[in-house]
Amino acid sequence: KAGVTQTPRYLIKTRGQQVTLSCSPISGHRSVSWYQQTPGQGLQFLFEYFSETQRNKGNFPGRFSGRQFSNSRSEMNVSTLELGDSALYLCASSSGTSGRSYNEQFFGPGTRLTVL
Amino acid sequence: AQKITQTQPGMFVQEKEAVTLDCTYDTSDPSYGLFWYKQPSSGEMIFLIYQGSYDQQNATEGRYSLNFQKARKSANLVISASQLGDSAMYFCAMREGLIVNNQFYFGTGTSLTVIP
């Protein structure tokens, strides 16, 4: 089974620009979650999508948004980039439903975003 | 208050020895799940082990075991027979609630170095 894939792996943008990151979950997984990881704040939950609907949301400004497509692929968008948005953005997939498989959340390799 | 606390920023262990990584959590929800992840320098988060709040026995997965002390709200990870490949960051995480919820709270992590 192929793992979670994220594209691009590295990205350099300047302040004020916008960026879109992509995540393809494991085949059959319907839940995709996004996290921001920075040295200062650690891993912080951004949001979760399940069956094309946002199911959970962390405490991030509206500049951070996402969506999920019918094939469960998800995109995350950050508008009006700030220096503080430089981070590793991790995507995780899970079945999203009850049962043992629900307890496993598989992460992708991440997209490292640098804002200059 | 922090949901997950990891008080050991860095740990060293001799190869083939056992090591315990500490994790305490804070929740008022009787239903929750506790997770440990490993993050090598490559950045990808690797799921190691899961413990549910209603599980009677401590979880084990190969060389990993979780020392779950519910009354003390601690969920320490024990790695037996450490290997050089165990050198990585280790994160403790929690998910709350009975309702399907994939919002994870992560600790700040412990950097483990295995010495040959």
Side-chain angles (χ1 to χ4, degrees), chain B residues 10 17 20 58 71 96:
Chain B
E17 296 292 314
T20 298
N58 288 343
E96 297 172 304

Side-chain angles (χ1 to χ4, degrees), chain B residues 98-109:
Chain B
L98 271 176
I99 297 170
V100 173
N101 172 14
N102 262 341
Q103 179 167 354
F104 278 58
Y105 299 97
F106 282 84
T108 51

Side-chain angles (χ1 to χ4, degrees), chain A residues 31 37 55 94 96 102-103, chain B residues 35 37 39 95 100-102:
Chain A
S31 167
Q37 186 177 24
R55 188 162 67 173
S94 71
Y102 167 58
N103 298 321
Chain B
F35 303 75
Y37 285 87
Q39 188 178 41
R95 182 182 62 218
V100 173
N101 172 14
N102 262 341

Side-chain angles (χ1 to χ4, degrees), chain B residues 31-87:
Chain B
S31 301
Y32 53 89
L34 297 158
F35 303 75
W36 278 92
Y37 285 87
K38 171 184 177 182
Q39 188 178 41
S41 56
S42 59
E44 189 165 351
M45 298 283 283
I46 302 167
F47 166 76
L48 295 178
I49 197 167
Y50 164 81
Q51 180 86 41
S53 59
Y54 296 115
D55 292 344
Q56 295 296 311
Q57 294 190 330
N58 288 343
T60 59
E61 293 283 352
R63 294 187 299 110
Y64 305 107
S65 61
L66 201 152
N67 184 2
F68 182 45
Q69 297 187 46
K70 199 169 182 176
R72 296 178 61 183
K73 294 190 174 179
S74 76
N76 298 339
L77 176 70
V78 181
I79 305 174
S80 62
S82 296
Q83 302 171 355
L84 296 178
D86 294 335
S87 295

Side-chain angles (χ1 to χ4, degrees), chain A residues 88-110:
Chain A
L88 179 67
Y89 289 88
L90 291 163
C91 157
S93 86
S94 71
S95 69
T97 56
S98 59
R100 177 179 170 80
S101 62
Y102 167 58
N103 298 321
E104 295 183 1
Q105 193 174 64
F106 299 89
F107 284 80

